[in-house]
Amino acid sequence: MIVAALFLLAAQEPSQPPQASDVKPAPWREMPGTPDEQEQESRPPVWAYKSATCVVGNSGDKVATTLSKDYRSPEYQRMFAMILQNNGGCFGSRGRAPKPSLILTGAMAERLLARDTTPLNVRLARAAGTPAPAAQSDADAAAICTVRSVPDDVAAWLKTEPGSPDAIAKAQPVQMVFNRCTRDAAKTKAAGNRLRALIALAAWRSLSPAPAVASK
């Protein structure tokens, strides 16, 4: 009887909380900084740059061709959907690809820009003397204006680690020029990660051999 009572008491005792070593990390898609998290201007989008490195490494030429097109066109959407589907493994262990968002495509543009060993400021300065790519939005127009106005500052910023103190410091002169290039400040407001993505995409399209033609 005594033994049975002891077993009964043990069963009724509250279970102990799991030890730290017993707690498994959340799946990749549920952790901060993944495609499931809302894109923010301040938090470094680590997942976007890691995924972009992978996708550009696998399908760089296809990404380059697609980014030179008008993002509003069905062709752009179709081509990017195919690229992301074919590179599902670049988006975590579950391989669930996100949509081609601004920050993700901007990260891809940065990876494409880095493939050329010629200094970026030199390339952008040369491109400033050629016809500008057609703007696809007010924000894109301001980004193109910025890239052509201050190629040295743009190149210096895109060379930094996103979210680092150096990146924050080097973003300031680019932000000032972008604000001056805006036609409607209320509609064209951008900063942080979103501004960096806009600038990277404008830089890539300025150097692309096949500039996009804005859709009507």
Side-chain angles (χ1 to χ4, degrees), residues 18-45:
Q19 301 298 315
S21 59
D22 298 330
V23 178
K24 296 181 179 181
W28 185 90
R29 61 180 290 246
E30 296 174 2
M31 295 174 66
T34 72
D36 289 330
E37 182 184 60
Q38 184 178 3
E39 293 177 344
Q40 301 179 19
E41 292 185 346
S42 57
R43 175 176 293 179

Side-chain angles (χ1 to χ4, degrees), residues 20 23-24 27 29 35 45 49 52 71 77 80 90 98 119 130-132 156 166 170 177 208:
V23 178
K24 296 181 179 181
R29 61 180 290 246
Y49 283 89
Y71 79 93
Q77 300 296 331
F80 242 120
C90 292
T130 64
D166 190 30
K170 286 185 168 59
V177 175
S208 173

Side-chain angles (χ1 to χ4, degrees), residues 130-180:
T130 64
Q136 301 174 20
S137 66
D138 289 342
D140 185 37
I144 293 171
C145 168
T146 303
V147 166
R148 296 170 72 84
S149 299
V150 285
D152 290 342
D153 290 330
V154 166
W157 185 24
L158 295 184
K159 193 175 181 179
T160 63
E161 184 70 20
S164 66
D166 190 30
I168 294 173
K170 286 185 168 59
Q172 295 178 4
V174 180
Q175 179 80 68
M176 291 176 59
V177 175
F178 179 84
N179 292 343
R180 293 173 184 171

Side-chain angles (χ1 to χ4, degrees), residues 74-98:
E75 183 182 16
Y76 176 98
Q77 300 296 331
R78 177 183 59 78
M79 292 177 69
F80 242 120
M82 184 65 68
I83 290 171
L84 297 183
Q85 180 180 353
N86 291 341
N87 290 277
C90 292
F91 300 97
S93 59
R94 298 196 179 196
R96 191 175 59 80

Side-chain angles (χ1 to χ4, degrees), residues 40-42 103 157 171 175 190-199:
Q40 301 179 19
E41 292 185 346
S42 57
I103 291 179
W157 185 24
Q175 179 80 68
N193 296 324
R194 292 181 61 81
L195 177 59
R196 181 161 174 149
L198 283 168
I199 293 297

Side-chain angles (χ1 to χ4, degrees), residues 49-128:
Y49 283 89
K50 287 184 177 180
S51 299
T53 300
C54 178
V55 174
V56 171
N58 295 338
S59 308
D61 291 341
K62 292 181 179 179
V63 173
T65 300
T66 306
L67 287 183
S68 69
K69 299 183 180 299
D70 190 328
Y71 79 93
R72 299 164 295 183
S73 68
E75 183 182 16
Y76 176 98
Q77 300 296 331
R78 177 183 59 78
M79 292 177 69
F80 242 120
M82 184 65 68
I83 290 171
L84 297 183
Q85 180 180 353
N86 291 341
N87 290 277
C90 292
F91 300 97
S93 59
R94 298 196 179 196
R96 191 175 59 80
K99 295 180 180 179
S101 65
L102 172 61
I103 291 179
L104 176 59
T105 53
M108 291 182 186
E110 286 196 47
R111 295 301 183 246
L112 290 173
L113 290 168
R115 296 199 304 180
D116 192 327
T117 57
T118 303
L120 179 57
N121 62 329
V122 173
R123 286 180 281 153
L124 292 177
R126 292 172 180 170

